[in-house]
Amino acid sequence: MTFQANDTVLIVSCEDDPRAAGKTGRIIDEVPPGHLTNNRWTVGSISLLIGPVLCRTSELRKV
């Protein structure tokens, strides 16, 4: 599955920050992730206490 910038996603799990699991956020990336992020999507707008996180495609579900 691929995502686009501003897609709302449910974070099923997140190796980068386990506190983000179960929360929703928005995809920040304008283009599909590459080797610089180890093929992980940048998800932001999660909560005031959790900054942007990097998540693999398998850790996200489109809402």
Side-chain angles (χ1 to χ4, degrees), residues 12-51:
V12 177
S13 63
C14 183
E15 184 179 330
D16 190 41
D17 189 343
R19 298 177 302 156
K23 298 188 179 342
T24 58
R26 292 196 182 271
I27 297 292
I28 295 174
D29 301 307
E30 295 287 332
V31 296
H35 68 280
L36 290 176
T37 61
N38 199 16
N39 295 316
R40 296 180 294 175
W41 295 93
T42 307
V43 182
S45 302
I46 300 167
S47 81
L48 292 174
L49 301 176
I50 302 173

